[in-house]
Amino acid sequence: MAGVVVITDCDHDGVDPERAVLDGHDVELRVLACRTSEEVADQAGDADVLINQYVPITAEVLDALPRCRLVVRYGVGVDNVDVQAAAERGVWVANVPDYGRDEVADHTLALAMALLRGVAVLDRSVREGTWGLEAARPLRRLSVLTWGVVGCGAIGAAVAGRAAGLGMRVLGYDLPQVRSEPPIERVGLEVLLESADLVSLHAALTAESHHLIGAEALRRMR
């Protein structure tokens, strides 16, 4: 009997990479467009594996899929999967650790450059008929700035490399068990906040990181 892999939902242009992995194996790949947990339960009852993006995978969904042994989440987090319920039912849960890493790091850099070089405010100023640098001051050379990275995992490390490539000093703060490689200089959070000209936040949302940046942290920043 062929195994059944069901993609519950995705916003990608296609699923050719998934087909390339499964081709040549005794596996049926089915692509759905579910928007609710109830639709997954109704349409994917014979799935051995779920590949999921946004729709919640709840205990009720898992109960409706007695053959399911693996849920793979398109993304780094598994927030929309009831991991405890899956474990209780012998269902493995996996993610894609490098999903969107470079895209998020690139976009972080783009937003930072827009801020540091006054791109947005100067664009508005020109459109309003004003020509001058006053709206964007102070403009400082990037190589004299310090970038603080809070959360030094895959995305934070990618951002750090990009910042260092522009000549910036990079400070990093993370939980003790997370290793940081150059160019990140590991420091305490207070030192980072007081020293950095720009801080980007890339920490996973956990009990320890919840509201890590709040009023007190903002008061410490330059």
Side-chain angles (χ1 to χ4, degrees):
M1 182 177 180
V4 178
V5 176
V6 174
I7 298 177
T8 62
D9 61 308
C10 73
D11 59 8
H12 310 148
D13 294 334
V15 293
D16 289 343
E18 292 85 339
R19 294 190 189 280
V21 170
L22 298 175
D23 279 352
H25 301 278
D26 190 18
V27 175
E28 175 192 351
L29 176 62
R30 192 182 309 150
V31 182
L32 305 178
C34 298
R35 294 184 177 274
T36 66
S37 300
E38 292 75 18
E39 290 177 348
V40 178
D42 291 341
Q43 300 177 37
D46 59 345
D48 298 287
V49 175
L50 288 184
I51 302 178
N52 163 261
Q53 188 162 12
Y54 299 121
V55 66
I57 304 302
T58 63
E60 292 74 20
V61 169
L62 296 170
D63 286 338
L65 279 57
R67 289 173 44 179
C68 185
R69 288 295 171 265
L70 172 64
V71 177
V72 181
R73 170 90 212 299
Y74 280 128
V76 175
V78 290
D79 307 62
N80 59 329
V81 179
D82 190 332
V83 177
Q84 181 175 344
E88 292 169 352
R89 291 158 176 77
V91 178
W92 288 75
V93 177
N95 64 344
V96 185
D98 60 353
Y99 181 92
R101 175 194 60 202
D102 289 335
E103 289 75 16
V104 174
D106 289 344
H107 197 65
T108 301
L109 184 67
L111 294 174
M113 291 302 96
L115 173 66
L116 295 173
R117 303 307 304 165
V119 174
V121 293
L122 289 174
D123 175 77
R124 287 196 297 269
S125 176
V126 170
R127 291 175 187 276
E128 292 168 358
T130 303
W131 185 263
L133 289 177
E134 293 307 317
R137 293 188 187 279
L139 289 173
R140 299 169 61 197
R141 183 173 296 173
L142 298 180
S143 60
V144 304
L145 301 180
T146 297
W147 189 313
V149 175
V150 178
C152 300
I155 292 174
V159 169
R162 287 157 171 76
L166 293 171
M168 296 190 218
R169 180 189 182 196
V170 183
L171 303 180
Y173 168 80
D174 212 326
L175 300 178
Q177 64 266 32
V178 178
R179 294 183 58 190
S180 296
E181 303 292 341
I184 298 175
E185 302 174 36
R186 284 291 289 270
V187 296
L189 181 60
E190 292 185 5
V191 172
L192 183 148
L193 295 174
E194 293 170 357
S195 304
D197 299 286
L198 178 148
V199 176
S200 59
L201 179 62
H202 308 284
L205 178 58
T206 65
E208 291 78 15
S209 66
H210 185 245
H211 286 174
L212 183 66
I213 303 298
E216 181 179 351
L218 293 172
R219 279 194 293 270
R220 290 183 176 275
M221 295 173 68
R222 293 186 177 185

